[in-house]
Amino acid sequence: MSSSSDFFAALRYRDFILISVNQLCLTLAILIQEIVVAYSLYQLSKNPLMLGLIGIVELIPFILLSFFGGYIADRFNRQTILKYGFSLTCIIPLLLILVFLLHQQQTITLFQLSLSIFGCIFCLGILRGIYSPAFNSLRCFLVPEKMYSHANTWTALIWQLGAILGPLIAGLLLHQFGRYISLGIAFIFLLIGSIAICSMQPRNFPSINNLPIISSMKEAIMFIRHNRLILWSMLLDLSTVLFGGILVLLPIFAEDILATDAEGLGLLRAAPAIGTCIMTFILMRSNLINHAWRNMLIALIGLGCCTLLFACSRLLWLSFTLLVLMGAFDSMSMIIRQTLLQMLPPKNLLGRVAAINGIVVTSGNQIGAFQSSLFARLFSTIPATLLGGSICLLFVGVSASINRDLLKSKIKQHKHTFLTSHK
């Protein structure tokens, strides 16, 4: 059977299996840790602002170190960077267990507990900022080039599997065993992920002695600026994550509005990933790029409308269904944007454009989480969600009005925009 028709071809490579195990363990551990910390902090403080601060605290070092992490990954052995960087993350859940125990014994105050948790999350952001570029650029060395498609498909499926199972496991563990056992399970997942990375075959990588970071990034920024389809697709996505992000508020919806427990929170948190998986399989035979701008507008209108309906829901099953739909619409937007980022930039700009997009998406998600928690603090949860969804729909409407010509333009026109403007 040829590699093109053998869906399991990539899994015949031992190191790809090991990095896939690492990816699954990381996703499970991070989501379990995130839900335990968010749920516990809100229960103890009843302050929605705490939920947004968690993301901001991790974002700051991640953004500051991402460019340098890419430089380090290109200059030194990325497998060694990943091995040591990832192994250090195992310490984080153990530190969280310690500070929660100290607070339970009244050794530290709630304020000191919050500062200690933010310190742990900040350290996690530092580690991820350093090893994430090495992790993301390692896969292409583990399988032959003809296997890239198979490997990417498995990578996406494994990530979605972790995104579904992680919240469900976290909710079940929290409800049945409490935060200490839950964080202990997160530690075990990270330990298994570290063992998988350390078990990979040592290899050497091509290195770059001099990498002009600033000038390289300027060229990528100029391309994005001159390519309206990519620019506005990124701006639309940014508006969605800045004002339509409600995942950070799910602990509040679960406890105060839907009157459910930790298991209900886990179910709600897993719902968007379920929607993403369903939509991914539906779209496997569809080509959203034929009408990229139109389809992106439809997806984000659907996402905004579901956000407004979610704010009004008082039924767990209805809220779950709306979150599934939100995940489905978001996956449409994500697939279009990622395909554009692969098709339109010149080959020598692909990595840098992807890096900028990654920073925009990551920072947008975390700032959006902070914004949502701040609005919830100022206006209460439901008005904040209604306001955020309304702003998203307004921005979609303005974007559609400004860029009417994009509805009829062809992909080839945008593919040559940067090249022709710099002749």
Side-chain angles (χ1 to χ4, degrees), residues 21-53:
V21 170
N22 174 272
Q23 178 194 3
L24 179 60
C25 289
L26 172 64
T27 305
L28 292 172
I30 291 298
L31 286 173
I32 291 171
Q33 183 174 284
E34 173 190 319
I35 289 174
V36 169
V37 169
Y39 191 69
S40 299
L41 266 186
Y42 181 70
Q43 276 192 324
L44 293 170
S45 68
K46 294 298 181 180
N47 185 356
L49 196 58
M50 289 289 188
L51 304 178
L53 286 174

Side-chain angles (χ1 to χ4, degrees), residues 255-325:
E255 182 160 317
D256 297 346
I257 297 171
L258 299 174
T260 187
D261 53 17
E263 287 182 311
L265 172 61
L267 186 66
L268 292 173
R269 187 63 178 80
I274 294 173
T276 298
C277 281
I278 293 172
M279 183 58 73
T280 300
F281 283 110
I282 291 174
L283 295 177
M284 278 183 176
R285 297 181 180 274
S286 303
N287 188 358
L288 296 176
I289 297 301
N290 286 338
H291 302 282
W293 183 244
R294 181 202 67 186
N295 292 334
M296 177 165 280
L297 292 176
I298 291 172
L300 296 179
I301 289 172
L303 186 60
C305 291
C306 286
T307 300
L308 297 180
L309 292 173
F310 180 84
C312 301
S313 172
R314 298 296 181 273
L315 301 172
L316 180 61
W317 68 266
L318 178 58
S319 298
F320 173 81
T321 302
L322 289 168
L323 286 170
V324 170
L325 290 174

Side-chain angles (χ1 to χ4, degrees), residues 98-241:
L98 176 62
V99 297
F100 276 121
L101 278 172
L102 291 174
H103 178 262
Q104 183 178 354
Q105 297 170 358
Q106 298 184 343
T107 305
I108 59 175
T109 65
L110 177 60
F111 178 72
Q112 291 171 325
L113 170 69
S114 302
L115 287 182
S116 300
I117 290 175
F118 291 151
C120 292
I121 301 302
F122 187 85
C123 291
L124 179 62
I126 291 175
L127 292 172
R128 295 185 72 180
I130 292 173
Y131 77 71
S132 288
F135 178 85
N136 292 328
S137 59
L138 180 59
R139 289 191 190 91
C140 61
F141 293 93
L142 306 182
V143 297
E145 186 173 348
K146 63 182 180 179
M147 299 290 182
Y148 283 179
S149 177
H150 299 88
N152 288 331
T153 301
W154 275 105
T155 297
L157 289 175
I158 290 167
W159 188 90
Q160 293 298 341
L161 178 64
I164 293 171
L165 292 179
L168 295 176
I169 294 172
L172 180 62
L173 289 173
L174 261 177
H175 181 73
Q176 297 292 335
F177 304 106
R179 65 174 68 99
Y180 301 114
I181 297 295
S182 302
L183 290 171
I185 297 298
F187 164 75
I188 291 173
F189 278 129
L190 290 174
L191 184 61
I192 294 172
S194 295
I195 293 172
I197 289 296
C198 293
S199 301
M200 293 174 63
Q201 179 182 353
R203 52 176 48 81
N204 295 316
F205 302 92
S207 61
I208 299 176
N209 293 326
N210 296 305
L211 188 64
I213 298 176
I214 296 178
S215 59
S216 294
M217 298 314 296
K218 281 183 177 178
E219 186 179 5
I221 292 171
M222 288 297 294
F223 168 77
I224 294 173
R225 178 184 170 187
H226 284 84
N227 194 296
R228 289 173 57 220
L229 190 53
I230 284 187
L231 175 63
W232 280 95
S233 67
M234 290 177 65
L235 289 176
L236 273 178
D237 180 73
L238 184 60
S239 71
T240 302
V241 296

